[in-house]
Amino acid sequence: MKAYIIVDVTVTDPVRYEDYKKLTLASLRPFDGKFIVRGGPTEALEGDWKPGRLVVLEFPSPEQAKAWWSSPGYAPAKAIRQEASTANLLLVEGVE
């Protein structure tokens, strides 16, 4: 079953965050992860949620999503993200 990591990011250091963006794509490949949404404009249709930078990642399974998030390959990028932004990450399973 596919899984998605939904990320709401508030970038605090845009220059440093560019380094994060450069590293992330390669870290996803070993886990068959891919970007579904990567920034871009958002529009609240209901409620008052005002996300910063919204990102959605797709993985073949929740296990692969968690393995990517905790992997040594993602660790350098994750450290940069944590320095250059604040974020909320949510793992959700897809439907069959």
Side-chain angles (χ1 to χ4, degrees):
M1 176 178 304
K2 289 187 180 183
Y4 300 87
I5 294 179
I6 302 169
V7 188
D8 180 1
V9 182
T10 300
V11 177
T12 56
D13 183 343
V15 174
R16 187 75 171 127
Y17 195 80
E18 288 300 315
D19 295 332
Y20 167 74
K21 288 170 33 179
K22 291 174 188 171
L23 294 174
T24 306
L25 185 58
S27 75
L28 291 167
R29 288 188 186 116
F31 303 93
D32 294 322
K34 66 180 181 178
F35 287 100
I36 302 299
V37 174
R38 192 174 191 188
T42 61
E43 178 182 354
L45 299 178
E46 290 190 33
D48 61 357
W49 183 23
K50 295 175 182 69
R53 176 181 170 80
L54 194 61
V55 178
V56 179
L57 302 157
E58 180 183 81
F59 294 87
S61 70
E63 293 77 19
Q64 282 180 279
K66 289 189 271 187
W68 165 76
W69 181 80
S70 62
S71 71
Y74 178 55
K78 184 195 290 188
I80 293 169
R81 178 182 51 77
Q82 291 172 338
E83 292 170 8
S85 68
T86 58
N88 292 300
L89 283 77
L90 181 67
L91 175 64
V92 62
E93 290 185 17
V95 295
E96 291 192 36

